[in-house]
Amino acid sequence: MNLRVRPWLDRIDPYRPGKPATSGDGSLASNESPIGASRSVLAAISRAAHRVHRYPDPLADELRDELAVRHGVTPDQVLVGNGSDELIYLLALAYLARDGRAVCADPAYRIDEISAHVVDAHLTKVPLLDWRHDLFAMGEVGADIAYVVNPHNPTGTVRSRAEIEAFTAAGGAGLVVVDEAYIDFADDPVELTAVPLVAGGRVAVLRTFSKLYGLAGMRIGYLVADPTVVETLRKIRAPFSVSSLAQAAALAALRDSAFSEEARRYSIAGREALSRMFEEAGYAVVPSQANFVLVEATDEQELVARLEAAGVSVRPGSSLGVPGTVRVSVPSDAGRELVARSLGVDSDAVTAMVERA
Ligand SMILES: *Cc1c(COP(=O)(O)O)cnc(C)c1O
């Protein structure tokens, strides 16, 4: 017998991860936390290491209960996954496999796009309007799943909860998947989140521990959705996909609110300083509510090369579906110096300007 790869898999343009720079401070390609994880998280991981010969709790019940309380939902509305990426794949398997229809923005979050192609779904990409999701045009598609990344990656722009509610009510999609990976960096996360819409049954919200909590390497995220959605995904998931170390880390991260508040403040201040620096150097920057900024650069390659020469790795827009731009993650203080040097701007002056504002 000849071994044959399923023909629709040819449509997949493989994911290309951001390149790390030679220094951690210069690695601004993957929106990782500039201040890492809290010490209490590292201690929790060490304690959990003593039990790694045991299988993890399949559903991460302790974490799930705590997340349910925090979001004002019931535990059967929460599913923890191996990063939100695993949950995106499960949603595609459950609701898009064999001829399902999905709609997302163009540019899209690459995993939404790839997972739809993996299960042989029809995917429609709808161009952004003023850098934001064109919800009206997305509704016209009539999809099983509509992906709304809010704030969006790679633009950092948002749609309000009222806009998402109206989109859902208009019935243009069976399930609206709102990916809130960056919501902690938004102006008002409580006002913005779509979690209150979950009760209507047509909205699923994705969250991750990879960004604010600095746990990208642990692989843990979760979904808040109708119990029927959670039940379906439970049925098809790999039972032990979330490691015991990841579960312990996430619980400790949630409980260290002083640290997460600090991470939020640091990232927002750093984002403003980063935006000002690029503006000082003559670039336009898309106003961001995330932990990165999208910089408009007619000569994308030139800017990428200039930053690279200073030891800074970023994400070229053409690899994210937005040629003519460069996406830069919020750096640490040391990383900001590297960026300032490569742009020829005075980092202290910019920081002082942001502090005065
Ligand atoms: C970073 C990111 C995530 C996080 O994915 P994990 O698998 O939880 O690390 C999810 N969605 C978007 C849009 C992201 O940019």
Side-chain angles (χ1 to χ4, degrees), residues 82-85 109 149 153 179 181-182 208 210-211 219-221:
N82 184 284
S84 34
D85 289 352
Y109 177 49
V149 182
N153 176 8
D179 185 340
Y182 299 101
T208 182
S210 296
K211 308 284 157 58
R219 313 305 308 128
I220 185 160

Side-chain angles (χ1 to χ4, degrees), residues 133-185:
H133 285 71
D134 185 348
L135 293 178
F136 181 78
M138 288 175 70
E140 300 281 279
V141 171
D144 298 292
I145 291 186
Y147 299 100
V148 180
V149 182
N150 209 40
H152 193 33
N153 176 8
T155 58
T157 52
V158 298
R159 282 293 177 194
S160 69
R161 182 197 297 152
E163 287 170 318
I164 293 174
E165 186 171 19
F167 171 66
T168 308
L175 185 67
V176 179
V177 175
V178 185
D179 185 340
E180 298 185 339
Y182 299 101
I183 196 159
D184 302 290
F185 310 107

Side-chain angles (χ1 to χ4, degrees), residues 264-317:
R264 170 177 153 78
R265 270 197 304 269
Y266 187 94
S267 297
I268 293 174
R271 175 183 74 209
E272 297 316 307
L274 187 69
S275 303
R276 290 292 178 88
M277 281 188 343
F278 277 100
E279 285 165 358
E280 280 291 292
Y283 295 95
V285 177
V286 180
S288 170
Q289 298 209 20
N291 68 345
F292 56 81
V293 296
L294 191 69
V295 180
E296 296 183 56
T298 356
D299 192 345
E300 173 187 322
Q301 286 313 319
E302 191 270 340
L303 179 56
V304 170
R306 181 133 70 108
L307 291 163
E308 220 155 61
V312 175
S313 69
V314 294
R315 207 63 160 262

